[in-house]
Amino acid sequence: MDYQVMIVGGGIAGLTLAVKLASCKVKVLMVEKDEKSGLIYKGELLQPKSLAILKKLGVYEQIKENGKMLPSIEMTEFYQDGDSLELIGENEFRYDIIRSEFNTSVMLPHEKLKEILFRKAKQYPDFHHMRPAKFTGFTNKDGRRVANVSTKDGETSIEALFYIGAEGRVSPVRNEMDVQIKKYSYNHHFLTVSFPRPPTLKSSSIITTQERFLGLFPLPDGEVRSVLLIKPGEYKSMRKQGLESFYQAYIELMPEMEGYVNQISSWKQIQLMIPVRHNVSSYVKDNCVLVGDAAHSVHPMAGEGMNLAIQDSDVLGELLCWMFETDRTDPSHLKWFEQVRKPRAEFVSRLSHQAALLYSFPSLSWQKLRMKGIHNTERNNRLHFKQMLNTSGLGIWKFSIVDRMKQIGLVPHSFGSRSIPESEQTKHFFTEQEDYPWLKQ
Ligand SMILES: Cc1cc2nc3c(=O)[nH]c(=O)nc-3n(C[C@H](O)[C@H](O)[C@H](O)COP(=O)(O)OP(=O)(O)OC[C@H]3O[C@@H](n4cnc5c(N)ncnc54)[C@H](O)[C@@H]3O)c2cc1C
C-alpha cells in the first residue's frame, strides 16, 4: 500500500481534508491536475461553521488577517422606470442574531484560502502531493483498486486504502463509482468580476429592481467581488455593445460605481457563470468517497458551495482519523459520512434553489412578493434567527408552515417575534454527537 488515503483534487475540499488527515498522522497523497488554477473566480464567502472548522485546523488567525469580516447583508430594492430609480425597500440580515463566537461571514480570495491551507498541510510530514498529476481512472490489481495517474514524467499507478473524489463538478472518481446524478438548470446566468470599490461600500449588498440583480461583496485590499444576473444570451449582446454597457448596468443601480467599475479594462477579467445544481444518489461506494462539488453543487445565490466542501471534509476527515486511530478501517464505517452530510447538503441545496427563485422572475408583482417575504423575515426575530442559522451551517431550524404564512403576510410578522434566548438557540446548533455520531460507538 502506497498511501492510507489518496485525494483526487487540490481544491478547497481536497486541501481541507488533507490538512485534517495529515494532522492526525494519516499518510495522505493529494493529486492536482492543474499547475495553476484555471478559473479567475470561485467561492470567496466563508460562513460561520466553516470559520469554526478552519479554527480547529489552526488557520483562523490567517483567515482573519487576510479576509474581510462581513457581519450582515443589506438588501435594497428599487422600482425602475426608464433611467429613474425609486427606493421601495431596505432590509438587513445580521449574523449577530446568532449567539456564537462565529457570528459573521468573511470574504477571502479563493486562491488565498487555498494557499493558506496548502501551507498548513505542508507542515505535516504525512502530507504528500503530486502536481500537475491527473487521475484518469482505476484498474484492478489482484482484486484491489489501483489509481492511474498521468504526470509530466508519464503514467504511474498508486494504491491506497481509501480514494476520495474531490475533483469538483466533473469527477472521474464519481464516474468510476457509477452513482446517479440529478441536475437542475436555471433561466439566468451571471457575470462575475472583482474591481476596486467605492469607500461608501462597506457591507455585503444586494441591489435589485423588478428586472435586475447585483450582488456586491467587499473583499480585503479595497476590492469588491460583484455578481450581475443576466438573461441567457445577454453576455453575447453586451460584449458586442462593448464594456460601456457592462459599466452602465452597475452605475444605473449604484451611481457611486462611476470611476470604479470602469477600471475593468477587458472582458477577459469578467467571468460568465452558468448556475447548475446537482446532487448524487450516493456519496460512498466501497472504498471511494465523494466530497464537495463532486457530490453536490448548489446555486451560487446562497454563497454555500465552498462552505459545503469545507464541512464535508471536516466530517470525513474526523471519521477517517477515527477509523485509523481505532484500527476500524473496514469501508462499511464510511456510511457515517453519508449519513451526516447528505441530508445537510441536500437541505442547503434546497435553500440555494429557493434563494434563486426569489430573483428568477423579472416582474413587479414577483418583486413585491419577494420584498414582503424578506421584510417579514427580518422583522420577526424567530424567522430572522432561522434564516441566519440555516445559512451559517452551525445548525438547522426549518421554517414551519406558520413561518411561511408570516413571510407572505397571511399571519402578522409581529406574532411570536420575541428574541430567541441563547439556551433555546443552542438546541438548534449541531452538537458534536450529531457532527461525529460514530464517536459514541
Ligand atoms: C464562479 C464561481 C463563483 C462561486 N462563488 C461561490 C461563493 O461565493 N461562495 C461559495 O461558497 N461557493 C462559491 N462557488 C462554488 C465553490 O467555488 C465550489 O463549491 C468549491 O470551489 C468546491 O470546492 P471543491 O474542492 O469541491 O471543487 P473545486 O474547487 O472545483 O476543486 C477541484 C480540484 O480538483 C482538480 N481536479 C479535477 N479533476 C482532476 C483530476 N482528474 N485529477 C486531479 N485533479 C483534478 C481541479 O483542477 C480542482 O483544483 C463558486 C463557484 C464558481 C465557479
Side-chain angles (χ1 to χ4, degrees), residues 235-293:
Y235 175 59
K236 263 194 186 160
S237 60
M238 275 178 136
R239 281 197 74 144
K240 258 193 204 150
Q241 288 165 41
L243 273 173
E244 197 57 41
S245 66
F246 184 76
Y247 304 152
Q248 272 319 309
Y250 280 58
I251 295 165
E252 226 172 70
L253 293 174
M254 191 178 179
E256 298 98 299
M257 283 292 175
E258 179 88 60
Y260 292 90
V261 64
N262 316 57
Q263 293 182 43
I264 300 164
S265 58
S266 150
W267 280 104
K268 280 194 195 134
Q269 291 166 259
I270 302 168
Q271 188 175 297
L272 175 68
M273 206 159 76
I274 300 176
V276 204
R277 203 161 61 91
H278 73 234
N279 287 298
V280 299
S281 54
S282 178
Y283 294 2
V284 177
K285 193 165 180 191
D286 310 324
N287 60 345
C288 295
V289 189
L290 299 173
V291 287
D293 276 13

Side-chain angles (χ1 to χ4, degrees), residues 193-378:
V193 59
S194 295
F195 55 89
R197 69 181 132 93
T200 46
L201 183 65
K202 294 193 171 85
S203 309
S204 296
S205 302
I206 289 179
I207 304 174
T208 33
T209 70
Q210 64 274 32
E211 302 237 331
R212 284 279 178 208
F213 170 99
L214 176 63
L216 298 164
F217 302 90
L219 279 161
D221 303 328
E223 294 243 304
V224 58
R225 165 83 179 275
S226 68
V227 190
L228 179 72
L229 187 143
I230 55 168
K231 296 183 195 108
E234 205 177 341
Y235 175 59
K236 263 194 186 160
S237 60
M238 275 178 136
R239 281 197 74 144
K240 258 193 204 150
Q241 288 165 41
L243 273 173
E244 197 57 41
S245 66
F246 184 76
Y247 304 152
Q248 272 319 309
Y250 280 58
I251 295 165
E252 226 172 70
L253 293 174
M254 191 178 179
E256 298 98 299
M257 283 292 175
E258 179 88 60
Y260 292 90
V261 64
N262 316 57
Q263 293 182 43
I264 300 164
S265 58
S266 150
W267 280 104
K268 280 194 195 134
Q269 291 166 259
I270 302 168
Q271 188 175 297
L272 175 68
M273 206 159 76
I274 300 176
V276 204
R277 203 161 61 91
H278 73 234
N279 287 298
V280 299
S281 54
S282 178
Y283 294 2
V284 177
K285 193 165 180 191
D286 310 324
N287 60 345
C288 295
V289 189
L290 299 173
V291 287
D293 276 13
H296 41 65
S297 83
V298 296
H299 188 283
M301 196 68 88
E304 294 280 6
M306 181 176 65
N307 295 284
L308 290 180
I310 293 171
Q311 292 158 27
D312 281 355
S313 291
D314 171 57
V315 173
L316 182 61
E318 290 285 349
L319 176 60
L320 285 166
C321 287
W322 171 81
M323 286 167 66
F324 283 108
E325 271 161 21
T326 59
D327 211 10
R328 290 184 230 208
T329 51
D330 190 283
S332 63
H333 295 294
L334 294 171
K335 69 170 190 281
W336 290 111
F337 169 66
E338 178 163 323
Q339 202 167 304
V340 175
R341 287 302 302 161
K342 196 161 180 277
R344 293 186 193 177
E346 286 174 358
F347 175 74
V348 172
S349 180
R350 282 194 297 278
L351 282 188
S352 80
H353 178 63
Q354 287 159 9
L357 290 186
L358 278 183
Y359 298 98
S360 286
F361 306 106
S363 80
L364 187 57
S365 46
W366 191 252
Q367 182 187 29
K368 285 188 175 157
L369 192 65
R370 170 174 76 228
M371 280 171 53
K372 191 182 273 180
I374 292 174
H375 176 84
N376 292 343
T377 304
E378 187 221 285

Side-chain angles (χ1 to χ4, degrees), residues 9 12-13 32-33 41-43 135 225 271 273 293 303 305-306:
I12 296 296
E32 167 54 52
K33 71 174 171 52
Y41 303 107
K42 275 193 154 187
F135 166 79
R225 165 83 179 275
Q271 188 175 297
M273 206 159 76
D293 276 13
M306 181 176 65

Side-chain angles (χ1 to χ4, degrees), residues 62-97:
Q62 292 165 66
I63 304 291
K64 282 196 289 187
E65 263 165 44
N66 290 281
K68 171 127 182 83
M69 300 269 182
L70 295 171
S72 69
I73 177 156
E74 292 173 2
M75 284 151 289
T76 312
E77 296 267 1
F78 291 104
Y79 171 68
Q80 186 165 19
D81 184 10
D83 287 346
S84 83
L85 290 180
E86 182 195 343
L87 179 67
I88 52 173
E90 275 183 300
N91 291 284
E92 187 181 24
F93 284 154
R94 291 177 291 101
Y95 284 93
D96 70 2
I97 199 161

Side-chain angles (χ1 to χ4, degrees), residues 6-16 30-47 50 107 110-111 114 130-137 148-150 165-173 190 192 217 225 227 271-274 291-310 312-313:
M6 174 176 162
I7 302 172
V8 182
I12 296 296
L15 282 162
T16 306
M30 190 183 80
V31 296
E32 167 54 52
K33 71 174 171 52
D34 291 337
E35 199 139 18
K36 275 193 194 157
S37 173
L39 285 172
I40 321 177
Y41 303 107
K42 275 193 154 187
E44 295 178 326
L45 189 72
L46 288 164
Q47 300 285 2
S50 305
M107 277 295 277
H110 194 82
E111 289 306 311
K114 281 168 66 177
M130 287 169 69
R131 181 176 193 167
K134 184 175 180 178
F135 166 79
T136 53
N148 303 320
V149 175
S150 165
E167 338 85 308
R169 290 182 189 182
V170 182
S171 164
V173 174
F190 292 99
T192 187
F217 302 90
R225 165 83 179 275
V227 190
Q271 188 175 297
L272 175 68
M273 206 159 76
I274 300 176
V291 287
D293 276 13
H296 41 65
S297 83
V298 296
H299 188 283
M301 196 68 88
E304 294 280 6
M306 181 176 65
N307 295 284
L308 290 180
I310 293 171
D312 281 355
S313 291

Side-chain angles (χ1 to χ4, degrees), residues 111-232:
E111 289 306 311
K112 187 77 204 173
L113 178 57
K114 281 168 66 177
E115 186 191 311
I116 291 171
L117 288 168
F118 188 56
R119 241 189 287 132
K120 188 72 191 173
K122 283 200 294 185
Q123 289 175 4
Y124 299 107
D126 286 300
F127 172 69
H128 305 265
H129 67 105
M130 287 169 69
R131 181 176 193 167
K134 184 175 180 178
F135 166 79
T136 53
F138 293 116
T139 44
N140 191 311
K141 189 179 144 198
D142 307 328
R144 298 187 313 271
R145 270 197 177 107
V146 175
N148 303 320
V149 175
S150 165
T151 71
K152 274 180 183 164
D153 304 323
E155 304 295 315
T156 179
S157 42
I158 292 160
E159 191 173 349
L161 217 46
F162 298 103
Y163 299 96
I164 316 299
E167 338 85 308
R169 290 182 189 182
V170 182
S171 164
V173 174
R174 187 177 67 217
N175 296 344
E176 296 268 339
M177 285 166 70
D178 197 22
V179 291
Q180 297 191 345
I181 181 159
K182 250 194 191 165
K183 286 189 183 171
Y184 313 81
S185 49
Y186 289 88
N187 66 351
H188 52 259
H189 294 170
F190 292 99
L191 293 178
T192 187
V193 59
S194 295
F195 55 89
R197 69 181 132 93
T200 46
L201 183 65
K202 294 193 171 85
S203 309
S204 296
S205 302
I206 289 179
I207 304 174
T208 33
T209 70
Q210 64 274 32
E211 302 237 331
R212 284 279 178 208
F213 170 99
L214 176 63
L216 298 164
F217 302 90
L219 279 161
D221 303 328
E223 294 243 304
V224 58
R225 165 83 179 275
S226 68
V227 190
L228 179 72
L229 187 143
I230 55 168
K231 296 183 195 108

